[in-house]
Amino acid sequence: MKWKPGDPRPDTASMVRVDQAGEYGATRIYAGQLAVMGDRHDMSRAISGMANQEERHRRFFDALMAQRGVRPTALQPVWNVAGFALGAATAAIGPSAAMACTVAVETEIDRHYREQLDALGTSDPILSDAVAEFRAEELEHRDSALAAGAELAPAYPLLSAVIRAACRGAITLSKRL
């Protein structure tokens, strides 16, 4: 897409800020899950693998923030605690609830990243290439969690709806604050 004077341009600083916050939150969710589950459960290896990918995504956005002078969200301390608590709470319910958490989060991240890719077009290939790559990995996480029995979690529809709403709220807040 070629930009003309007066065309609205995507707010890439906001995109980088919210993406870094989201990846940071994901690392905290998985840290909470692993703190409860440890290496005692079959799902621990899968969760560790997902956590490593999220950490790689976070490091990319950390570097991009530094390169572009983008400030982090002021809510980072909140996402630190909230992410860990969400991960720990869902893991305490059981492995299927931990996987339900992953499905809910990754479903919202898929929607969020699709919207970003649509807004970016070809205006920022570094950001859009990373978002496209990370989106594919997030979808793998979602699909793996579904295959691992996420939908068997107690009150799955309610649990999923609450986590998805919280994710949408976190995205909205992290864009601005």
Side-chain angles (χ1 to χ4, degrees):
M1 168 181 254
K2 212 158 179 99
W3 298 103
K4 295 179 277 191
D7 283 350
R9 297 203 176 163
D11 181 0
T12 57
S14 175
M15 290 179 179
V16 171
R17 177 176 24 268
V18 72
D19 292 351
Q20 188 277 343
E23 298 299 347
Y24 177 74
T27 65
R28 299 305 297 146
I29 290 169
Y30 289 130
Q33 289 177 344
L34 290 170
V36 170
M37 295 173 75
D39 59 1
R40 298 179 308 273
H41 194 276
D42 297 344
M43 291 309 307
S44 297
R45 177 180 280 150
I47 291 170
S48 291
M50 290 184 240
N52 289 336
Q53 283 186 317
E54 301 294 0
E55 181 62 29
R56 183 174 53 80
H57 300 173
R58 186 200 52 80
R59 283 194 311 268
F60 171 84
F61 286 117
D62 284 350
L64 197 59
M65 287 174 77
Q67 290 168 358
R68 296 184 179 189
V70 175
R71 69 166 176 78
T73 178
L75 298 171
Q76 195 98 345
V78 175
W79 303 152
N80 176 30
V81 174
F84 190 89
L86 176 60
T90 55
I93 294 168
S96 62
M99 292 297 98
C101 178
T102 295
V103 170
V105 169
E106 302 302 18
T107 297
E108 288 305 314
I109 296 308
D110 172 47
R111 182 189 58 77
H112 168 71
Y113 277 164
R114 263 188 293 122
E115 289 173 358
Q116 279 191 349
L117 289 169
D118 290 346
L120 285 168
T122 58
S123 67
D124 189 334
I126 291 171
L127 182 56
S128 60
D129 287 352
V131 167
E133 176 188 338
F134 298 165
R135 177 178 172 246
E137 291 176 359
E138 307 296 6
L139 289 171
E140 288 174 9
H141 298 173
R142 183 201 64 199
D143 294 346
S144 294
L146 283 167
E151 295 170 309
L152 300 174
Y156 175 77
L158 177 62
L159 181 64
S160 178
V162 168
I163 294 170
R164 288 184 67 182
C167 286
R168 287 190 300 272
I171 289 167
T172 299
L173 291 170
S174 291
K175 285 178 185 175
R176 292 172 177 80
L177 303 177

